[in-house]
Amino acid sequence: MTEQAQQEYDVAGYSDRGRVRTSNEDAFGLCLDAGIFVVCDGMGGAAAGEVASHVAVDVMLERLCGGAANEDESDLESSQHKQSLLRDAVAAANGKVFSQAEEDAQLHGMGTTLVALLVVGNRAWVAHVGDSRCYRWRQGTLERFTEDHSLVDEQVRLGQLTPEEAERSPLRNVITRAVGSQRSVTPEIEELQVEPGDLFLLCSDGLTREVRDEQLVALMSEVDELEAGCQALVAAAIMNGGRDNVTCVLVRAK
Ligand code: CA
């Protein structure tokens, strides 16, 4: 890999329980050395949701923060290797959340969404389960790389609901895939090319339910310092209602 192809990254994350919830069931983890960043949004009741999201983040970092994911190879084999590392880490997170839920009656039925970004040089991989999302801001354009694993989003994709109907649906909280609620789970994984200046956003639905696309574009266009950028995104969600926990992670390619 040439010098120019090497990227360096900055990262920041911020989470808030919002205005209504008494606990924060979201969790995030950042490992800049290995280029692995994770956001999870737990479910199953306050205590259980908190456990699920934190366990999933911890397992992802345990698995991927050791540097194994960050070997610098550029061939196809290496891409498959990265994808299998991500798949294995999600499987491990799923197994741990699932077994804890089985062992402890109070945690029964818990699960969590998961969105993870792995960056190596000028390439990135996004893995997700559930409705936490990954966006990329590049030269004035905001692009989303994750399709929600939610009942209403699947109905929108099948043409059975309009996006407006989906937003109003009483079933909009129903997730069709979650980490830890079944014995196994299949994440969706996508590979991306990274350009200098690319700004990635990982977030829980507490952001995207409250902040509409136009406002999200405006906020992303204003991001300078990442810590302040995360706080501005979270503050907008809280200003708009803050009905759920809100979590943002921003990752920028220098
Ligand atoms: Ca949520």
Side-chain angles (χ1 to χ4, degrees):
M1 190 176 272
T2 63
E3 280 274 295
Q4 284 95 333
Q6 295 286 341
Q7 303 274 352
E8 284 191 67
Y9 293 86
D10 283 325
V11 66
Y14 191 70
S15 185
D16 192 283
R17 68 185 163 87
R19 282 190 185 175
V20 175
R21 304 286 181 93
T22 52
S23 61
N24 192 345
E25 297 172 57
D26 287 358
F28 70 89
L30 313 175
C31 177
L32 192 54
D33 285 347
I36 179 76
F37 315 105
V38 188
V39 168
C40 288
D41 174 354
M43 62 200 82
E50 237 175 291
V51 172
S53 61
H54 283 89
V55 166
V57 166
D58 289 350
V59 172
M60 291 296 287
L61 292 189
E62 269 166 38
R63 284 286 177 132
L64 297 170
C65 201
N70 202 22
E71 293 152 13
D72 195 5
E73 304 157 56
S74 55
D75 53 352
L76 180 67
E77 198 181 295
S78 128
S79 174
Q80 284 165 354
H81 178 59
K82 301 294 184 292
Q83 294 189 34
S84 74
L85 283 171
L86 277 167
R87 233 186 311 276
D88 291 351
V90 173
N94 187 80
K96 188 149 183 196
V97 175
F98 184 79
S99 62
Q100 284 199 11
E102 280 212 315
E103 283 158 17
D104 185 339
Q106 288 190 316
L107 301 179
H108 195 71
M110 71 174 174
T112 181
T113 72
L114 181 149
V115 61
L117 177 70
L118 171 65
V119 293
V120 181
N122 63 349
R123 293 191 304 166
W125 291 263
V126 178
H128 90 286
V129 175
D131 65 358
S132 294
R133 295 181 178 176
C134 175
Y135 293 85
R136 181 186 63 202
W137 176 255
R138 176 185 282 176
Q139 293 173 355
T141 303
L142 188 67
E143 195 176 347
R144 169 150 61 115
F145 292 107
T146 48
E147 286 189 329
D148 295 349
H149 298 139
S150 72
L151 189 63
V152 293
D153 250 55
E154 286 174 8
Q155 288 175 329
V156 169
R157 288 199 284 280
L158 292 169
Q160 296 165 348
L161 279 185
T162 66
E164 294 72 32
E165 286 168 338
E167 251 176 55
R168 290 194 302 268
S169 169
L171 299 176
R172 64 181 204 159
N173 284 323
V174 179
I175 302 288
T176 51
R177 253 188 251 190
V179 169
S181 50
Q182 308 268 329
R183 201 166 288 279
S184 70
V185 73
T186 306
E188 267 183 72
I189 300 180
E190 187 170 354
E191 182 177 355
L192 314 168
Q193 295 294 320
V194 183
E195 291 178 4
D198 280 358
L199 179 63
F200 293 93
L201 167 66
L202 307 180
C203 61
S204 62
D205 70 336
L207 179 78
T208 48
R209 292 270 181 90
E210 300 287 12
V211 176
R212 292 178 171 279
D213 285 352
E214 313 86 75
Q215 190 183 8
L216 191 56
V217 165
L219 287 161
M220 291 295 282
S221 75
E222 287 164 8
V223 173
D224 179 21
E225 202 267 313
L226 296 187
E227 192 79 47
C230 286
Q231 288 174 10
L233 286 158
V234 169
I238 291 171
M239 186 82 83
N240 292 355
R243 281 156 282 204
D244 194 1
N245 308 140
V246 196
T247 302
C248 292
V249 166
L250 288 170
V251 181
R252 185 193 272 138
K254 288 183 192 165

